[in-house]
Amino acid sequence: MILQQINISDLKVSKNNTRQPHHQDADVLALAKSIKTIGLQDPLIVRKSGKGYEIAAGARRYVALKLLKQKKVWCHIKSLNDEEFLSILIANNLVRENPSPIAEAVAMVKLWKSLPHGETTQKDLQWETIASQLGKTIRWVKSRTKLVNLIPEFIVCMSDNATDEEKKELLDARGYLKTLSMETIEVIARQTIERQQAFFNEIINDMGGWSHDLPVTFNEMVDYLEGSAELM
């Protein structure tokens, strides 16, 4: 690993970054203010890419520095293969950026798929690696990744990136999901697509009456979705 100053113009945000930071993002603006006041505390982590460098850790700092019109930045230059690069990239985003549960799930699945798999014991070891990187239990990681199995309608409801039009159309469903714990939402995610769709339609059809008619707690959700034979 080499520590040296690199021209800002020679850096680029990885296309594999689960979140592409923008100079108008509130957290980027706050970070720029902090850097202007106390300076950059941690060097970026990068790897050589073509004639420039690809950022593994520090995309938000990079955008903040561009906002401050900085010319150079201290970077750790590492020799990383694609697997190692993606592991640093995703783990850094998950630990530092307080992502939404859906973004967490997508990033962890992407990280798990990037790791080598063979025997079942090796796959379990990869879950352990991810859990260790994030400071979470293996059970938490496996449960959270199940959210990627939600149908698109539920994902939009839980997404920070939903458009205003999508939010307006799904306002009732969004309001209902906010009353549920993540453990309860994971019960929805483990249902078949057809059962999820039927349940989502019930939420929409109930309009404002969901607080009395639909399950709210974990046990209620299990009974409602897995104890009944058929949803209308």
Side-chain angles (χ1 to χ4, degrees), residues 26 28 31 51 69 155 158-159 171 184 209 222:
V28 170
L31 184 55
K51 294 182 179 180
K69 301 188 184 303
I155 288 179
M158 297 177 63
S159 175
L171 186 60
T184 304
V222 171

Side-chain angles (χ1 to χ4, degrees), residues 5 9 11 23-24 38 45 47 65 70-71 90-91 94 98 105 109 126 128 144-145 169 174 183 186 191 200-201 207:
Q5 281 193 311
S9 58
L11 298 173
H23 68 274
Q24 292 183 337
I38 63 175
I45 298 176
R47 71 172 179 180
L65 289 165
Q70 297 291 310
K71 302 298 183 183
I90 295 176
L94 287 173
N98 191 29
V109 169
Q126 308 314 338
E128 184 177 342
R144 183 53 56 90
T145 54
E169 181 180 349
R174 285 172 63 85
E183 184 183 32
E186 287 163 4
Q191 308 304 312
F200 182 82
N201 291 340
M207 299 300 287

